[in-house]
Amino acid sequence: MNTNSAHRVLVAVLAATALGAAAPGAQAATNVIDTIAGVASLPATDGPVFERSFVMPTDVEGLPDGGVLVADRENYRVRKIKDGQITTV
């Protein structure tokens, strides 16, 4: 778990193919976690955030530029989410 430049809490769920984020304040009180990238059963390659997946993401790090680094464990990659795209670092 970590935060990004918008102070949203970033969540990597080990048994998932997607990453989530929760906003601080009122929305956090409703226990809503928005998917920010990844969907099930799509390739774990570079491309648009909702047309690609992760395999067991284990850690996330919010970057000062608004991007997010993801440890994509079972793909053996570090991935970056920025401007609607997932890229391999």
Side-chain angles (χ1 to χ4, degrees):
M1 217 171 20
N2 207 315
T3 59
N4 66 3
S5 61
H7 304 289
R8 296 183 72 185
V9 176
L10 303 169
V11 180
V13 180
L14 185 61
T17 59
L19 294 176
Q27 186 180 4
T30 65
N31 298 316
V32 173
I33 296 177
D34 298 319
T35 299
I36 61 168
V39 292
S41 302
L42 289 175
T45 56
D46 294 354
V49 292
F50 293 115
E51 295 179 14
R52 299 297 182 260
S53 67
F54 301 91
V55 180
M56 300 181 84
T58 57
D59 200 6
V60 293
E61 181 71 30
L63 301 173
D65 68 0
V68 177
L69 289 179
V70 181
D72 193 359
R73 181 175 127 176
E74 293 301 308
N75 283 315
Y76 307 100
R77 299 175 185 167
V78 174
R79 319 274 299 281
K80 183 176 182 179
I81 302 167
K82 176 111 167 88
D83 299 328
Q85 296 290 311
I86 298 172
T87 55
T88 301
V89 178

